[in-house]
Amino acid sequence: MKILTVVGARPQFMKAAAVSNVIRQKHEEILVHTGQHYDENMSKIFFEELRIPKPDYNLGVGSGNHGKQTGTMLIKLEEIYEKERPDLVLVYGDTNSTLAGALCASKLLIPVAHVEAGLRSFNMNMPEEQNRILTDHISKYLFVPTVTAEKNLKKEGIEKGVYNVGDVMYDSVIRIGKLAKENSEVLEKLDLNDNEYILTTVHRAENTNDPKRLKNIVEALNESGKKIVLPLHPRTHKYIQDYGLAFSGNIKVVEPVGPIDMIALEMHSCKIVTDSGGVQKEAFFMHKPCITMRDETEWVETVENGWNKLTGTDKNEIINGINSFNPTNEQEEIFGDGTAAKKILDILDRY
Ligand code: UD1
Ligand code: UDP
């Protein structure tokens, strides 16, 4: 079978790292990078460190408003789909690259496989929620990571083609965890000790595009007085400057780090504070208490299991979480057993 995979943003590289090499054991894969993320530390470093196959095409779409970015992807993808005539298009997650990849295939009547299907925040203001719902409804194969995702699809009338394979990011993190233990020197480089710092990431549009929310986050991190390491997403960097905000001395702001150093930073942190989808799960995989600076999460099981606390962007809530959220209870197996990619391959083989 000829499978055309579309990736474009950092979390998709993490997922492709688990899946691409596995599907290539039996099928031909054409890998298309939309170019949504393009800085070296947002793109190239993932392909190099995780040995993701080199993309066959890079559309070079870059940044832009939603319509322009998604529309440019559609135009460029259509040419490639017409030329390559794949049997299946595979997309990951919920970015504009996901939607463009799926929509373009659907219009050309090429079956779509959606990895990480069925997630819902029930907040339609999020571009990601729009992307996921639209993608799920035009997909033929829906690989869900959790039981909740399966239930969400059922409520929307999608039952056919749904497979709970577990989370491909769990596969990736198991693999990258080993690389991090063997190869990462990030603690030495940043002069950090094990278990003595909090790792933070912030990039979600609902937090960066709203000056009040971003100000609350910055003030909470500053006023916590704790040692915080913050690999800063370029989107957030831009808005921090635009709003005239500043971090205080307890916060070590660094450029985005590569995946191996990121997993190492997570492994050695004492707590994680984030608004990222992927980082919430990684915190859970590594048994790190997670404070999520959002009003809702798609990964509800991590909250129900007691390892993730939703604080929204209320300053006191974030500071309280940083100071006193310390779960110790046993975790349930929510995200499968780390063999999601192999399960996806087996299901695709049956067709
Ligand atoms: C995108 C996804 C989001 C995902 C995130 C992962 C959409 C709508 N959003 O958000 O779901 O969680 O990726 O990180 O698809 N920029 C750079 N260099 C880069 C990439 C981006 O400087 O390599 C800056 C640009 O100023 C750009 C901004 O970041 O305008 C936002 O980038 P974009 O890809 O539009 O969205 P993300 O915030 O990265
Ligand atoms: N990540 C990384 N370096 C960083 C920040 C994040 O490698 O500086 C990884 C992180 O480990 C996770 C993925 O990028 O696997 C998540 O991406 P992001 O938070 O940008 O997007 P989301 O998951 O929220 O869509």
Side-chain angles (χ1 to χ4, degrees):
M1 182 154 62
K2 187 171 184 177
I3 300 175
L4 188 149
T5 300
V6 180
V7 294
R10 169 165 93 173
Q12 290 158 341
F13 310 144
M14 293 295 275
K15 291 160 201 163
V19 179
S20 267
N21 286 316
V22 171
I23 57 178
R24 279 171 193 234
Q25 289 165 10
K26 290 201 176 166
H27 302 281
E28 180 189 356
E29 186 188 39
I30 306 290
L31 189 60
V32 179
H33 186 334
T34 63
Q36 176 169 352
H37 285 174
Y38 47 86
D39 288 345
E40 271 206 36
N41 57 13
M42 297 289 286
S43 175
K44 190 169 172 219
I45 194 166
F46 288 81
F47 286 82
E48 285 177 356
E49 288 191 353
L50 304 182
R51 307 236 161 98
I52 304 167
K54 193 174 172 330
D56 299 277
Y57 299 90
N58 190 321
L59 310 183
V61 168
S63 307
N65 294 337
H66 290 286
K68 184 169 175 226
Q69 192 179 50
T70 315
T72 311
M73 288 175 195
L74 273 173
I75 293 167
K76 295 190 173 199
L77 284 172
E78 192 169 54
E79 276 176 34
I80 295 168
Y81 290 6
E82 295 278 22
K83 184 170 150 218
E84 296 286 352
R85 297 305 312 171
D87 300 302
L88 181 84
V89 164
L90 191 141
V91 295
Y92 297 98
D94 53 20
T95 72
N96 288 347
S97 299
T98 313
L99 178 63
L103 183 58
C104 189
S106 175
K107 296 275 185 183
L108 295 175
L109 307 183
I110 302 166
V112 176
H114 185 200
V115 177
E116 209 178 76
L119 275 302
R120 296 291 181 265
S121 65
F122 303 100
N123 176 359
M124 273 302 266
N125 291 334
M126 291 175 69
E128 293 86 356
E129 184 79 350
Q130 300 175 19
N131 290 341
R132 324 179 167 108
I133 292 176
L134 294 167
T135 301
D136 283 340
H137 283 261
I138 52 176
S139 292
K140 179 162 180 191
Y141 303 104
L142 299 102
F143 296 112
V144 299
T146 60
V147 173
T148 303
E150 200 173 345
K151 286 186 188 153
N152 290 340
L153 290 177
K154 198 170 178 189
K155 278 189 212 143
E156 291 174 23
I158 306 176
E159 292 187 67
K160 209 166 153 246
V162 177
Y163 302 93
N164 186 347
V165 291
D167 198 310
V168 294
M169 277 190 61
Y170 190 29
D171 300 23
S172 282
V173 167
I174 292 170
R175 185 180 139 222
I176 305 169
K178 286 189 197 129
L179 296 172
K181 279 188 192 138
E182 285 160 16
N183 301 322
S184 179
E185 291 173 358
V186 71
L187 290 201
E188 294 82 342
K189 262 193 296 192
L190 298 181
D191 194 20
L192 298 167
N193 292 316
D194 181 43
N195 207 29
E196 58 125 43
Y197 63 90
I198 293 170
L199 180 68
T200 296
T201 74
V202 190
H203 77 281
R204 190 109 351 245
E206 76 220 42
N207 285 339
T208 57
N209 298 18
D210 179 337
K212 247 205 256 149
R213 288 180 76 93
L214 193 57
K215 183 165 180 274
N216 279 350
I217 290 174
V218 172
E219 286 180 359
L221 300 176
N222 285 347
E223 288 172 30
S224 76
K226 301 278 191 212
K227 184 166 192 171
I228 292 176
V229 179
L230 173 59
L232 198 59
H233 190 293
R235 167 195 279 282
T236 317
H237 183 76
K238 178 182 167 297
Y239 282 100
I240 295 269
Q241 287 181 329
D242 288 356
Y243 303 152
L245 300 169
F247 291 109
S248 58
N250 58 313
I251 302 174
K252 200 182 260 282
V253 181
V254 296
E255 293 273 312
V257 295
I260 294 181
D261 281 351
M262 182 66 183
I263 296 298
L265 281 173
E266 290 172 350
M267 275 164 46
H268 293 286
S269 67
C270 61
K271 204 171 267 182
I272 292 180
V273 180
T274 190
D275 63 6
S276 156
V279 176
Q280 282 176 67
K281 283 187 287 178
E282 287 162 355
F284 188 84
F285 301 152
M286 293 178 210
H287 294 76
K288 300 292 173 181
C290 183
I291 312 291
T292 298
M293 300 180 292
R294 288 183 49 198
D295 301 328
E296 70 280 308
T297 180
E298 301 76 31
W299 306 105
V300 287
E301 294 92 339
T302 60
V303 177
E304 288 159 6
N305 254 251
W307 283 81
N308 189 0
K309 183 180 166 66
L310 287 178
T311 60
T313 54
D314 182 276
K315 199 161 82 174
N316 292 327
E317 283 283 314
I318 298 172
I319 294 174
N320 282 342
I322 287 176
N323 286 332
S324 57
F325 182 58
N326 294 307
T328 51
N329 55 301
E330 288 229 342
Q331 292 186 344
E332 284 165 39
E333 194 181 89
I334 296 167
F335 296 103
D337 59 5
T339 61
K342 171 79 174 55
K343 292 196 177 89
I344 290 173
L345 178 68
D346 290 345
I347 291 160
L348 292 179
D349 275 351
R350 275 195 255 144
Y351 296 88

